[in-house]
Amino acid sequence: MLNVSEVITDPDFAQTFIVHRKSNEWIAGRPEETETIITMLGVITVADAKTLEQLPEGDRATGMMSFYATVSINTTNEEGTSDQIEWRGDRYRVKKVFPYGDYGYWKAVAERMAGD
């Protein structure tokens, strides 16, 4: 199999981004949430043009980005909620992960959390 991880971390293509990973643990019968901050390096591309949601309280512009990394990025699972990715001052919530680990990378599609 072809391992493309060298392209994902190549300085000509890669950028750094921050992953906010939240996990849950039951302590004294109550869920306790902790957040781990992970700095990752990978390729970032546009997944979807700006999307306009027309809501009763006003219009909200969001968009989707694709994040490629050589380590796993998570969606909601039994250990915690979906990762949130911080890049260029915006936060994106991971919606879908394509586990291409056999080829040396993971692709995550994430939606911008704050609207214009």
Side-chain angles (χ1 to χ4, degrees):
M1 288 191 202
L2 180 65
N3 187 330
V4 297
S5 61
E6 288 183 27
V7 175
I8 301 295
T9 58
D10 187 308
D12 291 332
F13 303 107
Q15 301 178 49
T16 58
F17 55 94
I18 298 169
V19 174
H20 297 266
R21 183 162 292 160
K22 296 181 180 182
S23 59
N24 294 310
E25 185 178 346
W26 288 93
I27 299 175
R30 295 175 187 239
E32 288 285 328
E33 185 175 75
T34 58
E35 181 176 277
T36 305
I37 296 175
I38 306 164
T39 301
M40 290 190 183
L41 179 68
V43 176
I44 302 166
T45 62
V46 174
D48 182 14
K50 215 178 228 189
T51 303
L52 180 64
E53 294 180 69
Q54 294 180 316
L55 306 169
E57 60 272 9
D59 292 346
R60 179 176 184 215
T62 61
M64 305 281 272
M65 298 296 289
S66 292
F67 296 86
Y68 298 81
T70 57
V71 294
S72 179
I73 299 173
N74 299 334
T75 56
T76 299
N77 56 41
E78 62 276 353
E79 297 166 5
T81 59
S82 290
D83 287 345
Q84 294 177 12
I85 298 174
E86 186 177 337
W87 177 67
R88 291 192 177 173
D90 286 319
R91 261 205 199 199
Y92 298 82
R93 181 180 311 277
V94 174
K95 297 287 189 180
K96 178 95 174 139
V97 173
F98 299 89
Y100 298 128
D102 289 342
Y103 302 102
Y105 73 99
W106 282 258
K107 174 185 176 184
V109 178
E111 182 178 30
R112 192 167 143 239
M113 293 173 66
D116 290 337

